[in-house]
Amino acid sequence: MAVVLDLIKNDPRPPRHPEKAHRPDQAVQPKKPDWIRVKAPGSKAWTETQKIVREHGLVTVCEEAGCPNIGECWEKRHATFMIMGDTCTRACAFCNVRTGLPDALDTGEPEKIADSVAKLGLHHVVITSVDRDDLTDGGATHFARTIAAIRRASPGTTVEILTPDFLRKDGALEIVVEARPDVFNHNLETVPSKYLTVRPGARYFHSVRLLQRVKELDPSIFTKSGIMVGLGEERNEVLQLMDDLRSADVDFLTVGQYLQPSKKHHAVMRFVPPDEFKGYETTAYAKGFLLVSATPLTRSSHHAGEDFAKLQAARNAKLSPVLSA
């Protein structure tokens, strides 16, 4: 069996995905269709963004998850920062983030993130994290401290967070919501029938309830969730998932194509054609989402700044008839 090793040269750490090392190889990912095209990184602006990230010793989900949009986003000086280290306590079958026992939290990280946000001149920033089931609060306090640091260093920057599920971490969600991010994102990732094989450490209805609870605690916060397709889900399951999210009053839905990071990860069952994504977008809008992004290359934080402006406009348009009545 081949062991999935890190791609970093001379990396002394254990394999990137030790829990997957002894799994049989999955079917080879079929050749990517013509509609999946990405821009290769390497522009001057991309290099400048990379330099700032490296100088501050920061981790980005753009690199860790192997995001196909890194060339485009970093050229625009957009980076999604991943806090609390680069090692996740979960072992989801789709994810390329390193798994294992994480290091202790870097207490200076919130200020490092805030300084980078200011230097990059970001109008909108996305902060995500690895799962930290080893921490009493799942890292909620660290999220709150990071949001507060960004507010101090760059008051004009809007903050979007993409959080873990804080499963069995009583009071954790309340800590994060109290810090008042502008957008609270938590991804369902896939339909409930696929959780045991795709996202075994999570619970579908807990994640739906988490998003619902955010709105109950602070209705002014935009809520957002995303899924991948091409994992073997049925269309009717995706439509039911949309209904579940709308019942939780979620504002924004993203739908993107799953791409297999390695032979040890979940196989791509099919490449969903663009017309099906368009169908999902049309249906989701009909169900009442304020904003929908559904394309093969859609990812949670892709075009996040532009999308935030669209969210604000959609909410204002929805409220206008009520206010004028």
Side-chain angles (χ1 to χ4, degrees):
M1 295 293 180
V3 176
V4 182
L5 295 173
D6 220 314
L7 298 178
I8 302 173
K9 269 190 172 183
N10 303 318
D11 191 338
R13 293 180 294 180
R16 188 176 186 86
H17 302 291
E19 83 292 341
K20 295 180 176 71
H22 300 294
R23 292 181 184 175
D25 290 355
Q26 298 297 317
V28 176
Q29 178 172 283
K31 183 180 178 181
K32 293 176 184 175
D34 292 340
W35 60 77
I36 296 182
R37 289 278 185 266
V38 296
K39 184 174 182 178
S43 69
K44 181 181 178 182
W46 182 92
T47 303
E48 290 171 352
T49 301
Q50 184 190 51
K51 182 180 179 183
I52 290 173
V53 169
R54 295 288 183 273
E55 284 177 348
H56 290 75
L58 302 175
V59 179
T60 68
V61 75
C62 320
E63 295 175 291
E64 294 301 316
C67 180
N69 300 314
I70 188 172
E72 176 191 348
C73 292
W74 281 30
E75 185 172 324
K76 296 177 181 177
R77 300 172 72 86
H78 293 171
T80 298
F81 297 106
M82 191 165 76
I83 59 176
M84 296 190 277
D86 66 352
T87 303
C88 186
T89 54
R90 304 271 176 99
C92 297
F94 67 88
C95 186
N96 197 41
V97 172
R98 179 185 296 277
T99 57
L101 182 63
D103 294 330
L105 290 181
D106 176 2
T107 56
E109 184 176 51
E111 284 68 33
K112 293 177 186 176
I113 295 285
D115 186 44
S116 293
V117 169
K119 285 183 177 178
L120 287 167
L122 299 183
H123 299 294
H124 185 84
V125 64
V126 182
I127 307 296
T128 187
S129 78
V130 290
D131 275 283
R132 291 297 302 257
D133 295 314
D134 58 311
L135 301 175
T136 304
D137 67 351
T141 301
H142 203 75
F143 261 107
R145 289 188 59 228
T146 302
I147 294 168
I150 293 170
R151 300 275 193 228
R152 289 192 298 271
S154 186
T157 301
T158 48
V159 181
E160 178 173 332
I161 57 171
L162 172 55
T163 76
D165 57 14
F166 300 120
L167 188 63
R168 303 183 189 90
K169 305 295 181 182
D170 292 343
L173 178 65
E174 288 75 8
I175 293 171
V176 179
V177 172
E178 190 175 350
R180 300 205 64 196
D182 296 281
V183 181
F184 189 107
N185 184 7
H186 173 65
N187 287 333
L188 294 186
E189 306 293 6
T190 188
V191 298
S193 69
K194 299 299 173 187
Y195 262 53
L196 284 178
T197 54
V198 175
R199 199 180 175 216
R203 300 294 179 268
Y204 176 82
F205 287 106
H206 169 82
S207 287
V208 173
R209 175 58 182 151
L210 183 87
L211 290 159
Q212 183 180 44
R213 181 67 178 144
V214 172
K215 281 291 190 184
E216 292 172 354
L217 291 168
D218 190 339
S220 71
I221 296 175
F222 288 107
T223 50
K224 176 178 176 180
S225 190
I227 64 166
M228 303 167 289
V229 291
L231 287 161
E233 70 290 328
E234 298 291 337
R235 183 175 183 276
N236 66 301
E237 292 181 295
V238 176
L239 301 188
Q240 180 60 59
L241 177 145
M242 292 181 188
D243 288 337
D244 293 341
L245 288 176
R246 286 304 301 133
S247 71
D249 200 21
V250 170
D251 299 303
F252 185 3
L253 173 67
T254 61
V255 184
Q257 171 69 53
Y258 168 65
L259 298 175
Q260 185 180 4
S262 80
K263 292 185 292 184
K264 299 297 183 181
H265 288 78
H266 196 291
V268 174
M269 307 310 293
R270 68 186 286 253
F271 285 110
V272 178
D275 61 330
E276 289 190 34
F277 280 99
K278 185 62 180 177
Y280 282 138
E281 177 188 319
T282 301
T283 301
Y285 272 122
K287 289 179 180 293
F289 289 97
L290 287 181
L291 192 63
V292 182
S293 178
T295 71
L297 288 174
T298 289
R299 296 297 183 266
S300 291
S301 55
H302 195 208
H303 299 153
E306 296 95 322
D307 287 338
F308 180 70
K310 292 176 183 177
L311 268 176
Q312 288 179 307
R315 175 183 278 175
N316 291 338
K318 185 177 180 180
L319 291 175
S320 292
V322 177
L323 295 175
S324 61

